[in-house]
Amino acid sequence: MDLPPLSLDQLFAVLSTTLTPVDLHSILSDYEEQACLISPKEVELLSAFYTIFFFSHLLTDQIEEARALTKRMPQPILQTDSIQNCLLLLRAVWQRKYTSIYKILRELPWPERAQSVVQSYENHFQQKTLKEVSNSYEAIRPAAAATYLGLDPMLAQQGDQETIQRFTACGWRWDPETQLLHPKPVVSAPSKENGLQTELSRVMALISH
């Protein structure tokens, strides 16, 4: 079936109606051929398309493919703020620089209509990291745990009760004598594609807010 012509309106219609990261990535993959034929002068459209397509790779944990995508992007858009931010984020994700990842996602300017995928990726990254930390550590200092999950490590290190409660809400145990958090392992279970409905998503929403 032929796809509707790629335009800003069509791109954002796809973004607003797609329910899963896999669906989003699949549709945008089909649109890449059209994107390659668009005039390089259409900087706004191309920058928006490749920014959202880039995030669809991250949302489906295709880091190598996201890196390859940056090599295929049209030269005229590489210096736009949005694409430069994507490159910075890719480097931080690749190097597992947690503080930089959250700073880039939260503080750098992103196109208004791409805000939803940026927020979705922050939630996805927190969920993934929470699971990794929960399954990797028997005990962890609050500041380190806070850094992994994008919380204030200084408050955590000072034993801030609100911060500690955000971890205990995940099922972690706080030992006030040793000043250590004891993560609760996360047991993987089959789930539907829409991660926003999972228990981890609800936990991360609690942590984020």
Side-chain angles (χ1 to χ4, degrees):
M1 181 171 59
D2 292 336
L3 293 169
L6 181 60
S7 65
L8 284 172
D9 287 343
Q10 177 59 21
L11 177 61
F12 298 132
V14 169
L15 188 60
S16 64
T17 57
T18 300
L19 297 178
T20 71
V22 171
D23 288 342
L24 177 62
H25 180 267
S26 177
I27 292 172
L28 295 181
S29 295
D30 291 340
Y31 266 116
E32 188 178 12
E33 184 175 351
Q34 285 193 34
C36 292
L37 301 177
I38 292 174
S39 169
K41 296 181 180 180
E42 297 287 341
V43 174
E44 183 181 4
L45 172 57
L46 290 173
S47 180
F49 171 77
Y50 281 102
T51 296
I52 295 170
F53 194 23
F54 170 82
F55 272 97
S56 77
H57 283 76
L58 297 189
L59 282 164
T60 48
D61 296 320
Q62 300 182 74
I63 309 303
E64 289 275 6
E65 290 79 1
R67 195 177 188 184
L69 175 66
T70 64
K71 307 296 184 183
R72 302 196 302 271
M73 291 179 178
Q75 189 68 30
I77 71 167
L78 291 179
Q79 297 306 314
T80 62
D81 288 345
S82 183
I83 300 303
Q84 283 294 303
N85 293 346
C86 288
L87 296 176
L88 288 173
L89 178 60
L90 178 63
R91 187 177 302 115
V93 171
W94 190 269
Q95 297 174 349
R96 306 293 283 181
K97 293 185 175 180
Y98 295 90
T99 299
S100 296
I101 291 169
Y102 293 113
K103 185 178 181 66
I104 291 167
L105 290 171
R106 294 169 181 174
E107 298 182 13
L108 294 189
W110 297 100
E112 182 177 355
R113 294 188 181 182
Q115 290 291 337
S116 61
V117 290
V118 175
Q119 184 60 58
S120 291
Y121 180 65
E122 181 179 335
N123 293 338
H124 172 78
F125 184 76
Q126 283 182 312
Q127 291 172 34
K128 181 180 177 182
T129 304
L130 173 66
K131 183 175 180 180
E132 290 173 351
V133 172
S134 296
N135 291 338
S136 299
Y137 290 87
E138 292 185 1
I140 186 171
R141 296 202 175 279
T147 299
Y148 281 126
L149 296 177
L151 302 176
D152 187 332
M154 292 296 292
L155 283 177
Q157 190 60 40
Q158 293 166 8
D160 176 66
Q161 286 304 302
E162 182 178 350
T163 303
I164 298 301
Q165 286 171 6
R166 291 178 177 179
F167 290 107
T168 57
C170 304
W172 293 21
R173 181 173 59 83
W174 167 243
D175 187 335
E177 292 187 4
T178 62
Q179 297 289 292
L180 291 174
L181 285 161
H182 296 267
K184 177 182 178 180
V186 177
V187 179
S188 297
S191 62
K192 295 182 179 180
E193 292 288 350
N194 189 349
L196 294 178
Q197 301 304 315
T198 66
E199 181 64 27
L200 273 181
S201 293
R202 290 192 287 272
V203 168
M204 290 317 304
L206 177 62
I207 286 180
S208 297
H209 299 296

